[in-house]
């Protein structure tokens, strides 16, 4: 992003950048090969404005990936993984992550995976996830000898599969032409409960209480 080092953008410039990034997500999610001109049109700004903020199409995609990764980190933070009861934190963070991933599907997908700042954020998110799973392990909910990195990978895979099977997530925040479909979209809290239950308990029959 073409910013002067150490100098924040003016409020109007910041709004312009946000509009461009939001438009880029919408357009690229539907048409990954979309041009800067198409993104500018969707954002309601001129092509010159987009090029002034982003030196190239790739720099725009990198900024989009970093923005989405930051949203993901905020979603985790909202779950208070270090201070809330760990199972509560895991459920809340999972529901938040489902919303963010549904709203930023392109930016969090493989086509936008080249941003180094975004990669660093994702590494930090993964670290915090393992730490939260460690808190759950200390409570005896996860086996003491379980590989927490493997548990994290299974957890991530379940989130990905849920999003693949349920592309419309209620409250995801994306503006699409499929409003009728999203009106009956699954509740992220319900989906989060399924994911957490599967990660922690699997699908074996439960012992009678």
């Amino acid at each position: 992003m073409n910013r002067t080092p150490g100098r924040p953008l003016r409020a109007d410039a910041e709004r312009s950048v946000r509009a461009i990034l939001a438009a880029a997500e919408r357009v690229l999610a539907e048409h990954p090969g979309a041009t800067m001109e198409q993104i500018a049109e969707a954002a309601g700004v001129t092509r010159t404005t987009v090029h002034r903020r982003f030196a190239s199409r790739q720099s725009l995609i990198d900024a989009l990936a970093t923005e989405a990764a930051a949203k993901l980190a905020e979603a985790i933070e909202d779950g208070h993984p270090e201070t809330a009861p760990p199972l509560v934190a895991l459920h809340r963070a999972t529901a938040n992550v489902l919303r963010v991933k549904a709203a930023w599907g392109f930016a969090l997908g493989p086509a936008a995976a080249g941003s180094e700042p975004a990669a660093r954020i994702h590494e930090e998110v993964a670290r915090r996830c393992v730490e939260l799973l460690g808190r759950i392990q200390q409570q005896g909910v996860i086996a003491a000898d379980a590989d927490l990195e493997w548990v994290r990978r299974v957890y991530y895979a379940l989130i990905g599969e849920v999003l693949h099977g349920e592309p419309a997530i209620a409250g995801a925040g994306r503006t699409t032409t499929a409003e009728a479909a999203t009106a009956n979209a699954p509740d992220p809290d319900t989906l989060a409960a399924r994911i957490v239950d599967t990660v922690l308990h699997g699908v074996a029959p439960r012992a009678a209480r």
Side-chain angles (χ1 to χ4, degrees), residues 17-90:
V17 168
R18 298 299 175 207
I20 292 167
L21 292 176
E25 170 61 38
R26 294 194 307 271
V27 172
L28 292 170
E30 294 291 333
H31 305 288
T35 65
M36 297 275 273
E37 289 75 12
Q38 290 171 309
I39 292 169
E41 182 180 359
V45 300
T46 66
R47 181 180 62 181
T48 302
T49 298
V50 175
H51 283 283
R52 187 165 60 245
R53 301 301 177 200
F54 304 98
S56 66
R57 186 178 184 277
Q58 187 57 52
S59 68
L60 170 56
I61 291 176
D62 288 347
L64 181 62
T66 302
E67 176 77 3
K71 296 289 185 185
L72 201 62
E74 291 171 6
I76 301 298
E77 181 64 28
D78 184 66
H80 305 290
E82 286 84 18
T83 57
L87 291 178
V88 173
L90 182 62

Side-chain angles (χ1 to χ4, degrees), residues 136-188:
I136 296 171
Q137 188 178 50
Q138 290 171 4
Q139 291 189 334
V141 179
I142 296 175
D145 60 349
D147 180 344
L148 293 182
E149 176 58 25
W150 175 252
V151 176
R152 181 195 67 79
R153 290 172 62 186
V154 171
Y155 169 68
Y156 275 29
L158 285 171
I159 289 175
E161 183 59 29
V162 164
L163 291 166
H164 176 73
E166 305 283 359
I169 301 293
R174 175 183 291 174
T175 301
T176 71
T177 57
E179 294 182 358
T182 58
N184 297 316
D187 174 24

